[in-house]
Amino acid sequence: MGELAGELMALFADGFLRRLHVARTRRRLAAGRPVRVPCSARSDRPGWQPGYVNGRLRITPGAALVDFGSRVLGHTELAAGGTFHEPEPDTWHSQDWAATAYQPPGGGHPVHLQVDSRYLPLVQAALTDPRAVRKA
């Protein structure tokens, strides 16, 4: 019974803490300050691993680039102004996170991103129209 209670506490605490972090992220973006959003990413670009890599997106309001940083890949810049497409559900890294495919402007290989669903509107706004992030 103690194990179940422990797992439930962790589940509720994670949801509560994540909700607080999302609210803080929105406030910082509205104030024009940079934020880091936890996510996983995968791409067929040269230099990327074939599977999903855990890391963080560093979003700066109004910037033309969003930085994906991870311990495995280092820092990789994604050009803002692209489009989002449907993900490939059979290769998702985590079923708990929302998955989407980002196609950078000018073509090239898409980047498959997975973020907590509460962060997804912020990430989409930052990558499609960086000037709109301050209004999100």
Side-chain angles (χ1 to χ4, degrees), residues 37-48:
V37 177
C39 78
S40 295
R42 182 187 75 74
S43 180
D44 295 329
R45 292 176 171 193
W48 283 63

Side-chain angles (χ1 to χ4, degrees), residues 5-25:
E7 287 187 27
L8 286 173
M9 281 180 32
L11 177 68
F12 289 121
D14 179 56
F16 176 73
L17 293 175
R18 180 98 46 193
R19 194 173 319 120
L20 286 177
H21 191 261
V22 170
R24 179 178 178 261
T25 300

Side-chain angles (χ1 to χ4, degrees), residues 2 10 12-13 17 21-22 28-29 49 53-54 62-63 67 72 88 94 104 127 135:
F12 289 121
L17 293 175
H21 191 261
V22 170
R28 287 180 60 89
L29 285 174
Q49 286 191 343
V53 175
N54 292 329
D67 180 56
V72 175
E88 44 190 11
S94 170
L127 285 168
K135 301 174 193 167

Side-chain angles (χ1 to χ4, degrees), residues 94-120:
S94 170
Q95 296 295 328
D96 298 332
W97 286 17
T100 187
Y102 175 68
Q103 179 67 47
H109 297 287
V111 177
H112 303 277
L113 300 171
Q114 281 195 288
V115 297
D116 187 282
S117 59
R118 292 168 274 204
Y119 290 111
L120 192 57

